[in-house]
Amino acid sequence: MKDLYELVIKNGTVVLPGKVVKLDIGISGGCIAALSESLPLAPDTLIMDAEGQYVLPGMIDMHVHFNEPAFGHWEGFRSGSAALAAGGCTTYADMPLNGNPPTVNKAALELKAGLAAGNSAVDYMLWGGLVPGNLDDLEELAACGVIGFKAFISNPGGEGEGRFREVDDETLYQGMVRIASFGGILALHAESEEMTAVLSAAASSEGRNSARDFAAARPAEAELEAVSRALLYSERTGCRLHFVHISTAAAIEKIHAAKMRGMDVSAETCPHYLLLNERHMDYLGPLAKCAPPLRSREEQEKLWHVLAQGKIDLIASDHSPCPPELKLEPGLSFWEAWGGISGAQSSLELMFHEGVHVRGLPVTLISQLLSELPARRFGLEDRKGSIAVGLDADLVLLDPHGAYTLAADDLLYRHKHSPYTGMTLSCKVTATLSRGTVVYTAEDGVPSGGGGQWLRLTGGRIGR
């Protein structure tokens, strides 16, 4: 018999766009070659039995910080990508910070790309950055294949001379003009620096340094003001915008309204805004510190409401790790601790657990937010994001009844701390495939080596 397929995934409950069907998946040459209720097998066809499991498209995480170069000891491509593979993520986009030099010119991009090559378990993209002084570098970065540009409206923090800096209004506006001129996209951390700086200074002068004081100094109004300002600039310049880690329903509603008016804008939120809230800061301490901060339980419910309405465009982890001494050193105040959530390995399981099991949302909606919509927004839909013939065989097997309690030893991060450890999840990723190659199984973990490819954006699309 002719060897029709190199690998067949049999008996899985396959999550397709808009529907769930029991199907076999035939894989050849790294791509999905067939979808059928039953596929013929040759003697040397490899078989994976997915009976009782969902087969979903691999997650596309558009927002991680692996901190290369210079700060790879905070995470790095090898451990970070392995953790993603273990969590069912098959493609990610690394942000231009907190590595130093940040990815704000061609030389820095080439340095980062060299560090990623051969060290990533799964495919990846690289963001460029917009900072004061690099307007003339933007088009060259785009020509080199960055997926887009990241800018901070508030102070990003970080360490070292030459670190990533926030934009002033002139840089933001002129950057949008430049990016619009060649059809790029700008991703924004939207918090008003003016508002948060004043509130933070007042809290410091009055000796208020608790977790709740930190959250109060970065209120929802700071996010809403920055979003409103950026939307105005986008309307004037025609620049495509993507708002990262939005934490409030009001900001989502404003972005969605702009989209309904015809603006080319999108918004992501993160699992930590949907699974954690301000009470977690009280007992988890700096493990739950991020910016924007975790919000109230009421705000969290509003965020779930707009998600169910289809007003959120994608979910990304904003994985922002650090060594434990920057989070957990005795005597370190909440304000002094590094602000970032370490959670990329758990995104898919968290969203399936809370979204599908707890809240009864369709698995197709969760899959869309994690895979299909990020692929469509960032020009990957001809290769990734869905289970369809001709696309890359980027797949994840998920046992919907594989309940377990997440332990630090389960984490593949360089530093095994996360606000999710100790949480009991109702599901478990059992295998991940990247372009038809098994890059993770629950039994064997992640094999050594890094076969992930750099996906460069050219002409608005990711080529083969």
Side-chain angles (χ1 to χ4, degrees), residues 16-20 364 372:
L16 303 173
K19 60 182 178 180
V20 180
T364 50
E372 182 184 347

Side-chain angles (χ1 to χ4, degrees), residues 272-290:
H272 46 269
Y273 296 118
L274 295 163
L275 274 293
L276 307 175
N277 54 59
E278 61 186 9
R279 67 186 176 87
H280 291 89
M281 296 190 299
D282 294 334
Y283 64 85
L284 291 174
L287 284 176
K289 181 182 177 181
C290 56

Side-chain angles (χ1 to χ4, degrees), residues 134-180:
N134 85 322
L135 292 175
D136 292 337
D137 294 296
L138 300 177
E139 190 163 5
E140 185 175 43
L141 280 167
C144 290
V146 298
I147 196 69
F149 301 89
K150 171 73 176 292
F152 274 71
I153 295 179
S154 62
N155 188 336
E159 295 185 5
E161 189 67 27
R163 67 177 179 83
F164 202 90
R165 304 285 180 176
E166 72 270 19
V167 292
D168 51 58
D169 277 352
E170 181 179 1
T171 299
L172 179 59
Y173 189 88
Q174 294 302 329
M176 286 191 186
V177 170
R178 297 285 187 101
I179 293 167

Side-chain angles (χ1 to χ4, degrees), residues 348-360:
L348 191 156
E349 292 175 352
L350 289 166
M351 292 308 304
F352 190 95
H353 167 79
E354 182 69 19
V356 178
H357 276 172
V358 176
R359 295 176 180 269

Side-chain angles (χ1 to χ4, degrees), residues 57-266:
M59 179 181 174
I60 299 171
D61 193 337
M62 291 303 304
H63 192 156
V64 303
H65 298 266
F66 289 164
N67 303 320
E68 301 271 22
F71 286 83
H73 60 287
W74 286 29
E75 184 67 270
F77 285 104
R78 187 165 287 272
S79 60
S81 66
L84 286 173
C89 178
T90 53
T91 309
Y92 64 92
D94 185 63
M95 284 293 176
L97 70 161
N98 297 295
N100 202 340
T103 315
V104 296
N105 54 46
K106 181 180 178 181
L109 175 65
E110 290 175 343
L111 176 59
K112 175 177 279 192
L115 292 165
N119 284 308
S120 183
V122 296
D123 292 347
Y124 57 94
M125 298 163 285
L126 301 175
W127 285 94
L130 169 64
V131 295
N134 85 322
L135 292 175
D136 292 337
D137 294 296
L138 300 177
E139 190 163 5
E140 185 175 43
L141 280 167
C144 290
V146 298
I147 196 69
F149 301 89
K150 171 73 176 292
F152 274 71
I153 295 179
S154 62
N155 188 336
E159 295 185 5
E161 189 67 27
R163 67 177 179 83
F164 202 90
R165 304 285 180 176
E166 72 270 19
V167 292
D168 51 58
D169 277 352
E170 181 179 1
T171 299
L172 179 59
Y173 189 88
Q174 294 302 329
M176 286 191 186
V177 170
R178 297 285 187 101
I179 293 167
S181 72
F182 53 79
I185 189 167
L186 178 64
L188 279 174
H189 178 129
E191 287 184 288
S192 167
E193 175 64 18
E194 292 82 359
M195 192 178 300
T196 59
V198 168
L199 293 172
S200 297
S204 177
S205 67
E206 296 166 11
R208 293 185 282 110
N209 60 3
S210 71
R212 296 295 181 111
D213 293 325
F214 173 80
R218 307 186 84 96
E221 291 80 6
E223 180 173 81
L224 196 59
E225 189 281 330
V227 165
S228 300
R229 191 184 345 153
L231 287 173
L232 174 62
Y233 291 4
S234 174
E235 202 161 23
R236 297 287 177 86
T237 63
C239 183
R240 300 163 63 219
L241 285 186
H242 177 66
F243 290 94
V244 300
H245 54 51
I246 293 296
S247 65
T248 63
I252 293 290
E253 293 282 12
K254 183 168 280 289
I255 296 163
H256 182 72
K259 192 190 311 178
M260 294 300 99
R261 296 197 306 271
M263 293 180 64
D264 194 343
V265 297
S266 55

